[in-house]
Short mmCIF file of all heavy atoms in Angstrom, two decimals:
data_model
loop_
_atom_site.label_atom_id
_atom_site.label_comp_id
_atom_site.label_asym_id
_atom_site.label_seq_id
_atom_site.Cartn_x
_atom_site.Cartn_y
_atom_site.Cartn_z
N ALA A 76 -10.42 2.07 4.20
CA ALA A 76 -9.54 3.04 3.56
C ALA A 76 -9.83 4.43 4.18
O ALA A 76 -10.98 4.75 4.47
CB ALA A 76 -9.75 3.07 2.07
N CYS A 77 -8.80 5.19 4.39
CA CYS A 77 -8.91 6.53 4.99
C CYS A 77 -9.65 6.47 6.31
O CYS A 77 -10.50 7.32 6.66
CB CYS A 77 -9.61 7.49 4.02
SG CYS A 77 -8.69 7.66 2.45
N SER A 78 -9.36 5.40 7.08
CA SER A 78 -9.92 5.17 8.43
C SER A 78 -11.45 5.07 8.43
O SER A 78 -12.08 5.25 9.46
CB SER A 78 -9.49 6.27 9.40
OG SER A 78 -8.09 6.31 9.46
N GLY A 79 -12.04 4.87 7.26
CA GLY A 79 -13.50 4.83 7.15
C GLY A 79 -14.14 6.19 7.26
O GLY A 79 -15.36 6.32 7.32
N ASN A 80 -13.31 7.23 7.26
CA ASN A 80 -13.83 8.61 7.44
C ASN A 80 -13.52 9.48 6.23
O ASN A 80 -13.46 10.72 6.37
CB ASN A 80 -13.20 9.25 8.69
CG ASN A 80 -13.50 8.43 9.91
OD1 ASN A 80 -14.62 8.05 10.18
ND2 ASN A 80 -12.45 8.16 10.69
N GLY A 81 -13.34 8.90 5.10
CA GLY A 81 -13.02 9.66 3.89
C GLY A 81 -13.01 8.77 2.68
O GLY A 81 -13.38 7.59 2.75
N THR A 82 -12.55 9.33 1.57
CA THR A 82 -12.49 8.62 0.31
C THR A 82 -11.08 8.63 -0.21
O THR A 82 -10.43 9.69 -0.23
CB THR A 82 -13.43 9.31 -0.73
OG1 THR A 82 -14.74 9.37 -0.20
CG2 THR A 82 -13.43 8.56 -2.05
N CYS A 83 -10.60 7.49 -0.61
CA CYS A 83 -9.28 7.38 -1.24
C CYS A 83 -9.41 7.82 -2.70
O CYS A 83 -10.04 7.15 -3.49
CB CYS A 83 -8.77 5.94 -1.15
SG CYS A 83 -7.16 5.63 -1.90
N ILE A 84 -8.84 8.99 -3.04
CA ILE A 84 -9.04 9.52 -4.39
C ILE A 84 -7.85 9.27 -5.29
O ILE A 84 -7.98 9.28 -6.50
CB ILE A 84 -9.37 11.02 -4.32
CG1 ILE A 84 -8.32 11.81 -3.56
CG2 ILE A 84 -10.75 11.24 -3.72
CD1 ILE A 84 -8.52 13.31 -3.56
N CYS A 89 -6.14 10.87 0.71
CA CYS A 89 -7.49 10.75 1.23
C CYS A 89 -8.20 12.11 1.19
O CYS A 89 -7.60 13.13 1.43
CB CYS A 89 -7.47 10.29 2.68
SG CYS A 89 -6.88 8.58 2.91
N SER A 90 -9.46 12.07 0.88
CA SER A 90 -10.33 13.25 0.99
C SER A 90 -11.27 12.98 2.16
O SER A 90 -12.12 12.10 2.06
CB SER A 90 -11.11 13.46 -0.33
OG SER A 90 -12.00 14.55 -0.16
N CYS A 91 -11.06 13.67 3.27
CA CYS A 91 -11.81 13.37 4.52
C CYS A 91 -13.21 13.96 4.49
O CYS A 91 -13.47 14.98 3.86
CB CYS A 91 -11.04 13.98 5.68
SG CYS A 91 -9.32 13.39 5.84
N THR A 92 -14.09 13.32 5.24
CA THR A 92 -15.44 13.87 5.45
C THR A 92 -15.31 15.08 6.33
O THR A 92 -14.28 15.37 6.90
CB THR A 92 -16.36 12.82 6.12
OG1 THR A 92 -15.80 12.47 7.40
CG2 THR A 92 -16.59 11.60 5.26
N LEU A 93 -16.37 15.85 6.40
CA LEU A 93 -16.38 17.15 7.10
C LEU A 93 -15.92 17.04 8.54
O LEU A 93 -15.28 17.95 9.05
CB LEU A 93 -17.78 17.74 7.02
CG LEU A 93 -17.97 19.14 7.59
CD1 LEU A 93 -17.13 20.15 6.81
CD2 LEU A 93 -19.42 19.54 7.52
N ASN A 94 -16.19 15.95 9.20
CA ASN A 94 -15.90 15.82 10.63
C ASN A 94 -14.52 15.26 10.97
O ASN A 94 -14.19 15.06 12.12
CB ASN A 94 -16.98 14.94 11.30
CG ASN A 94 -18.34 15.54 11.17
OD1 ASN A 94 -18.48 16.76 11.11
ND2 ASN A 94 -19.33 14.71 11.13
N TYR A 95 -13.70 14.98 9.96
CA TYR A 95 -12.37 14.41 10.19
C TYR A 95 -11.30 15.09 9.39
O TYR A 95 -11.54 15.68 8.34
CB TYR A 95 -12.39 12.90 9.85
CG TYR A 95 -13.14 12.10 10.87
CD1 TYR A 95 -14.52 11.91 10.73
CD2 TYR A 95 -12.50 11.56 11.97
CE1 TYR A 95 -15.23 11.21 11.68
CE2 TYR A 95 -13.18 10.86 12.92
CZ TYR A 95 -14.55 10.66 12.80
OH TYR A 95 -15.24 9.98 13.72
N THR A 96 -10.07 15.01 9.88
CA THR A 96 -8.91 15.57 9.21
C THR A 96 -7.73 14.64 9.42
O THR A 96 -7.85 13.59 10.05
CB THR A 96 -8.59 17.01 9.75
OG1 THR A 96 -7.58 17.57 8.95
CG2 THR A 96 -8.14 16.98 11.19
N GLY A 97 -6.59 15.02 8.90
CA GLY A 97 -5.37 14.18 9.03
C GLY A 97 -5.09 13.45 7.73
O GLY A 97 -5.96 13.32 6.87
N GLN A 98 -3.86 12.98 7.62
CA GLN A 98 -3.43 12.27 6.42
C GLN A 98 -4.30 11.09 6.10
O GLN A 98 -4.62 10.81 4.93
CB GLN A 98 -1.97 11.87 6.59
CG GLN A 98 -1.31 11.41 5.32
CD GLN A 98 0.19 11.20 5.54
OE1 GLN A 98 0.68 11.15 6.64
NE2 GLN A 98 0.90 11.07 4.45
N ILE A 99 -4.74 10.36 7.15
CA ILE A 99 -5.58 9.19 6.92
C ILE A 99 -6.98 9.38 7.49
O ILE A 99 -7.69 8.44 7.79
CB ILE A 99 -4.93 7.89 7.46
CG1 ILE A 99 -4.66 8.00 8.99
CG2 ILE A 99 -3.68 7.57 6.70
CD1 ILE A 99 -4.20 6.68 9.60
N CYS A 100 -7.38 10.63 7.69
CA CYS A 100 -8.73 11.00 8.18
C CYS A 100 -9.05 10.35 9.53
O CYS A 100 -10.16 9.91 9.77
CB CYS A 100 -9.79 10.60 7.13
SG CYS A 100 -9.55 11.31 5.52
N ASP A 101 -8.06 10.34 10.40
CA ASP A 101 -8.23 9.69 11.72
C ASP A 101 -8.33 10.68 12.88
O ASP A 101 -8.45 10.27 14.03
CB ASP A 101 -7.10 8.71 11.93
CG ASP A 101 -5.73 9.39 11.99
OD1 ASP A 101 -5.60 10.49 11.40
OD2 ASP A 101 -4.79 8.80 12.57
N ILE A 102 -8.35 11.96 12.58
CA ILE A 102 -8.42 12.96 13.65
C ILE A 102 -9.76 13.67 13.61
O ILE A 102 -10.08 14.35 12.62
CB ILE A 102 -7.28 14.01 13.50
CG1 ILE A 102 -5.92 13.31 13.50
CG2 ILE A 102 -7.38 15.06 14.58
CD1 ILE A 102 -4.77 14.21 13.07
N PRO A 103 -10.60 13.45 14.65
CA PRO A 103 -11.90 14.18 14.65
C PRO A 103 -11.71 15.67 14.74
O PRO A 103 -10.81 16.17 15.42
CB PRO A 103 -12.57 13.63 15.89
CG PRO A 103 -11.77 12.46 16.34
CD PRO A 103 -10.40 12.62 15.80
N VAL A 104 -12.56 16.39 14.05
CA VAL A 104 -12.55 17.85 14.09
C VAL A 104 -13.50 18.28 15.19
O VAL A 104 -14.70 17.97 15.15
CB VAL A 104 -13.00 18.46 12.76
CG1 VAL A 104 -13.08 19.97 12.85
CG2 VAL A 104 -12.05 18.08 11.64
N TYR A 106 -15.99 20.46 17.31
CA TYR A 106 -16.93 21.58 17.06
C TYR A 106 -17.31 22.20 18.39
O TYR A 106 -17.56 21.52 19.38
CB TYR A 106 -18.17 21.06 16.34
CG TYR A 106 -17.93 20.76 14.87
CD1 TYR A 106 -17.63 19.49 14.44
CD2 TYR A 106 -17.99 21.80 13.97
CE1 TYR A 106 -17.40 19.26 13.10
CE2 TYR A 106 -17.75 21.58 12.63
CZ TYR A 106 -17.45 20.29 12.19
OH TYR A 106 -17.18 20.07 10.89
#
Side-chain angles (χ1 to χ4, degrees):
C77 301
S78 302
N80 302 311
T82 303
C83 179
I84 55 174
C89 293
S90 176
C91 303
T92 59
L93 185 61
N94 299 331
Y95 287 88
T96 189
Q98 193 172 13
I99 59 171
C100 304
D101 61 337
I102 302 169
V104 174
Y106 284 96

